[in-house]
Amino acid sequence: MKGRNILIRDANQRDIPAIMELIHLKAEFDGCLESVEATPQKLEIDLFGEKPLAFVLLAEVDGDIIGLATYHFIYSTFLAKPGIWLDDLYVKAEYRSHRVGQALMLRLRQIGQEKGCGRIDWTVAVSNEGGINFYEKIGAKLINKVKLCRLDGLSITVE
C-alpha cells in the first residue's frame, strides 16, 4: 500500500457489482450474511434512480475498489440542521490500517460541511474493538446513553 494513492469517489451504476461484493463482505464481517436481501436491481433503483434514497462513496487503489461508505441524510430538530447517517463503512481486510477508512470518513465529513450538517451519526457493534478504536481516533464520541430501536419486517405492517 505504501506510495499508492487512495481515490475516494461517488459510486455510479457501473459500480453495482463491486457494491454488492462489499455489502456481502461487510455482512460476513458482521456475522449476518444471511440478512442480506439487497439485489443489483434494487440498488440500481434505490441508489441511482430518480430520487436516490442513499449514497455510496467508494475507495479505490490502482483502479481496484477496496472499500465503501454508504450514507443518507437525516434531520435534527434539536439542531434545526440536516445531518448524515453513516449506514455502512467497510474496507477490505488487506487494506485496513492503511488510512482508507480515514479517507472515506474525511470525504464524508467534507460532504457534511458542504451540506451544512450539524452532525454525522452511526452505530458500531460493541464487539468491534478495532472499529471503536478507529472511530475514537478520528474524534468520534461514543454515546452510551441511548439504545438502537428497530421495527422491521412484520413489525412495520399496520392492520
Side-chain angles (χ1 to χ4, degrees):
M1 257 311 279
K2 281 193 175 186
R4 294 161 76 181
N5 290 331
I6 302 165
L7 170 69
I8 305 299
R9 65 173 178 83
D10 294 326
N12 60 58
Q13 287 176 297
R14 292 181 308 278
D15 297 315
I16 290 174
I19 294 168
M20 285 295 303
E21 176 194 10
L22 291 166
I23 288 170
H24 281 96
L25 288 171
K26 168 87 168 62
E28 186 177 7
F29 176 82
D30 289 345
C32 59
L33 192 54
E34 71 287 346
S35 66
V36 175
E37 295 182 15
T39 65
Q41 297 78 16
K42 187 82 170 113
L43 291 181
E44 185 170 352
I45 293 166
D46 292 347
L47 301 177
F48 306 108
E50 195 172 307
K51 291 184 180 182
L53 298 176
F55 306 91
V56 180
L57 295 174
L58 294 175
E60 278 187 17
V61 171
D62 297 334
D64 293 327
I65 296 172
I66 60 165
L68 89 167
T70 63
Y71 67 97
H72 62 270
F73 291 94
I74 56 176
Y75 187 79
S76 169
T77 54
F78 285 15
L79 299 178
K81 288 185 175 189
I84 291 175
W85 181 265
L86 171 63
D87 193 49
D88 288 315
L89 179 68
Y90 182 78
V91 175
K92 289 182 177 180
E94 61 270 28
Y95 293 97
R96 293 185 194 139
S97 300
H98 293 283
R99 303 184 150 274
V100 179
Q102 287 178 332
L104 284 162
M105 291 301 291
L106 174 62
R107 180 64 191 125
L108 195 63
R109 289 167 47 201
Q110 290 168 338
I111 292 167
Q113 187 174 1
E114 291 164 9
K115 300 290 186 183
C117 294
R119 65 185 186 211
I120 300 172
D121 291 321
W122 66 94
T123 61
V124 60
V126 294
S127 61
N128 185 353
E129 291 181 30
I132 291 168
N133 291 336
F134 167 73
Y135 293 134
E136 288 178 328
K137 191 188 316 184
I138 65 168
K141 297 176 196 154
L142 274 75
I143 301 168
N144 295 314
K145 294 189 276 183
V146 296
K147 290 195 181 269
L148 176 67
C149 298
R150 176 178 293 153
L151 292 172
D152 60 6
L154 293 176
S155 302
I156 296 173
T157 305
V158 180
E159 295 181 25

